[in-house]
Short mmCIF file of all heavy atoms in Angstrom, two decimals:
data_model
loop_
_atom_site.label_atom_id
_atom_site.label_comp_id
_atom_site.label_asym_id
_atom_site.label_seq_id
_atom_site.Cartn_x
_atom_site.Cartn_y
_atom_site.Cartn_z
N VAL A 102 -19.83 69.09 -16.93
CA VAL A 102 -19.32 69.82 -18.09
C VAL A 102 -18.61 71.08 -17.61
O VAL A 102 -19.11 71.80 -16.75
CB VAL A 102 -20.48 70.19 -19.04
CG1 VAL A 102 -20.03 71.15 -20.12
CG2 VAL A 102 -21.05 68.91 -19.67
N CYS A 103 -17.44 71.34 -18.19
CA CYS A 103 -16.73 72.59 -17.93
C CYS A 103 -17.46 73.70 -18.67
O CYS A 103 -17.61 73.64 -19.89
CB CYS A 103 -15.28 72.49 -18.42
SG CYS A 103 -14.42 74.07 -18.40
N THR A 104 -17.92 74.71 -17.94
CA THR A 104 -18.71 75.76 -18.57
C THR A 104 -17.84 76.73 -19.37
O THR A 104 -18.35 77.50 -20.16
CB THR A 104 -19.51 76.56 -17.51
OG1 THR A 104 -18.64 76.92 -16.45
CG2 THR A 104 -20.66 75.71 -16.97
N VAL A 105 -16.53 76.66 -19.18
CA VAL A 105 -15.64 77.50 -19.99
C VAL A 105 -15.50 76.91 -21.39
O VAL A 105 -15.56 77.63 -22.39
CB VAL A 105 -14.25 77.64 -19.32
CG1 VAL A 105 -13.32 78.44 -20.22
CG2 VAL A 105 -14.38 78.28 -17.96
N HIS A 106 -15.34 75.59 -21.46
CA HIS A 106 -15.04 74.94 -22.74
C HIS A 106 -16.16 74.07 -23.27
O HIS A 106 -16.05 73.52 -24.36
CB HIS A 106 -13.76 74.10 -22.59
CG HIS A 106 -12.56 74.91 -22.26
ND1 HIS A 106 -11.99 74.94 -21.00
CD2 HIS A 106 -11.84 75.76 -23.03
CE1 HIS A 106 -10.96 75.77 -21.01
NE2 HIS A 106 -10.85 76.28 -22.22
N ASP A 107 -17.23 73.91 -22.49
CA ASP A 107 -18.34 73.07 -22.90
C ASP A 107 -17.87 71.63 -23.17
O ASP A 107 -18.29 70.99 -24.14
CB ASP A 107 -19.02 73.66 -24.15
CG ASP A 107 -20.43 73.11 -24.31
OD1 ASP A 107 -21.02 72.70 -23.31
OD2 ASP A 107 -20.93 73.10 -25.46
N LEU A 108 -17.01 71.14 -22.32
CA LEU A 108 -16.47 69.79 -22.45
C LEU A 108 -16.74 69.00 -21.18
O LEU A 108 -16.71 69.56 -20.08
CB LEU A 108 -14.94 69.83 -22.64
CG LEU A 108 -14.40 70.32 -23.97
CD1 LEU A 108 -12.88 70.42 -23.87
CD2 LEU A 108 -14.81 69.37 -25.09
N GLY A 109 -16.95 67.68 -21.36
CA GLY A 109 -17.08 66.82 -20.20
C GLY A 109 -15.76 66.74 -19.45
O GLY A 109 -14.69 66.67 -20.07
N MET A 110 -15.82 66.76 -18.15
CA MET A 110 -14.61 66.70 -17.33
C MET A 110 -14.45 65.30 -16.75
O MET A 110 -15.40 64.52 -16.73
CB MET A 110 -14.69 67.73 -16.21
CG MET A 110 -14.77 69.15 -16.74
SD MET A 110 -14.69 70.39 -15.41
CE MET A 110 -16.34 70.25 -14.70
N TRP A 122 -10.99 67.50 -14.12
CA TRP A 122 -10.01 67.90 -15.11
C TRP A 122 -10.71 68.08 -16.46
O TRP A 122 -11.56 67.28 -16.85
CB TRP A 122 -8.94 66.81 -15.22
CG TRP A 122 -7.89 67.03 -16.25
CD1 TRP A 122 -6.71 67.69 -16.09
CD2 TRP A 122 -7.89 66.55 -17.60
NE1 TRP A 122 -5.99 67.66 -17.25
CE2 TRP A 122 -6.69 66.97 -18.20
CE3 TRP A 122 -8.81 65.80 -18.36
CZ2 TRP A 122 -6.36 66.68 -19.52
CZ3 TRP A 122 -8.50 65.52 -19.68
CH2 TRP A 122 -7.28 65.95 -20.25
N CYS A 123 -10.35 69.17 -17.16
CA CYS A 123 -10.94 69.46 -18.47
C CYS A 123 -9.81 69.51 -19.50
O CYS A 123 -8.72 70.02 -19.22
CB CYS A 123 -11.67 70.81 -18.41
SG CYS A 123 -12.06 71.55 -20.01
N ALA A 124 -10.07 68.96 -20.67
CA ALA A 124 -9.04 68.87 -21.71
C ALA A 124 -8.69 70.22 -22.31
O ALA A 124 -7.69 70.36 -23.02
CB ALA A 124 -9.48 67.90 -22.81
N GLY A 125 -9.51 71.24 -22.06
CA GLY A 125 -9.18 72.58 -22.54
C GLY A 125 -9.57 72.81 -23.98
O GLY A 125 -10.18 71.96 -24.64
N GLY A 126 -9.21 73.96 -24.48
CA GLY A 126 -9.56 74.34 -25.85
C GLY A 126 -8.54 73.84 -26.84
O GLY A 126 -7.54 73.20 -26.47
N ASP A 131 -4.91 77.87 -24.57
CA ASP A 131 -6.09 77.44 -23.82
C ASP A 131 -5.90 75.98 -23.40
O ASP A 131 -6.59 75.09 -23.87
CB ASP A 131 -7.30 77.58 -24.75
CG ASP A 131 -8.59 77.69 -23.97
OD1 ASP A 131 -8.53 77.85 -22.74
OD2 ASP A 131 -9.65 77.60 -24.61
N PRO A 132 -4.95 75.71 -22.52
CA PRO A 132 -4.56 74.33 -22.23
C PRO A 132 -5.54 73.61 -21.31
O PRO A 132 -6.46 74.22 -20.77
CB PRO A 132 -3.22 74.50 -21.52
CG PRO A 132 -3.34 75.81 -20.82
CD PRO A 132 -4.21 76.69 -21.71
N ALA A 133 -5.29 72.32 -21.16
CA ALA A 133 -6.04 71.52 -20.20
C ALA A 133 -5.90 72.16 -18.82
O ALA A 133 -4.90 72.79 -18.51
CB ALA A 133 -5.51 70.09 -20.17
N HIS A 134 -6.93 72.00 -18.02
CA HIS A 134 -6.88 72.62 -16.70
C HIS A 134 -7.70 71.83 -15.70
O HIS A 134 -8.56 71.04 -16.07
CB HIS A 134 -7.39 74.07 -16.78
CG HIS A 134 -8.83 74.18 -17.16
ND1 HIS A 134 -9.76 74.80 -16.37
CD2 HIS A 134 -9.51 73.73 -18.25
CE1 HIS A 134 -10.95 74.74 -16.97
NE2 HIS A 134 -10.84 74.11 -18.11
N LEU A 135 -7.39 72.08 -14.42
CA LEU A 135 -8.20 71.54 -13.34
C LEU A 135 -9.25 72.59 -13.02
O LEU A 135 -8.92 73.73 -12.72
CB LEU A 135 -7.32 71.26 -12.12
CG LEU A 135 -6.29 70.13 -12.31
CD1 LEU A 135 -5.26 70.16 -11.21
CD2 LEU A 135 -6.98 68.78 -12.36
N ARG A 136 -10.51 72.18 -13.10
CA ARG A 136 -11.60 73.14 -12.92
C ARG A 136 -11.83 73.45 -11.45
O ARG A 136 -11.94 74.60 -11.04
CB ARG A 136 -12.86 72.56 -13.55
CG ARG A 136 -14.04 73.51 -13.57
CD ARG A 136 -13.85 74.59 -14.60
NE ARG A 136 -15.06 75.37 -14.77
CZ ARG A 136 -15.10 76.71 -14.68
NH1 ARG A 136 -14.02 77.38 -14.47
NH2 ARG A 136 -16.24 77.34 -14.86
N GLN A 146 -19.10 77.16 -10.96
CA GLN A 146 -20.12 77.08 -12.00
C GLN A 146 -21.47 76.59 -11.50
O GLN A 146 -21.86 75.47 -11.70
CB GLN A 146 -19.66 76.20 -13.16
CG GLN A 146 -19.19 74.81 -12.79
CD GLN A 146 -18.65 74.11 -14.01
OE1 GLN A 146 -17.60 74.46 -14.52
NE2 GLN A 146 -19.38 73.13 -14.51
ZN1 ZN B 1 -12.40 73.67 -19.44
#
Side-chain angles (χ1 to χ4, degrees):
V102 170
C103 170
T104 48
V105 176
H106 298 106
D107 200 25
L108 288 174
M110 298 186 285
W122 177 89
C123 164
D131 202 11
H134 64 122
L135 293 166
R136 186 73 171 127
Q146 54 185 70

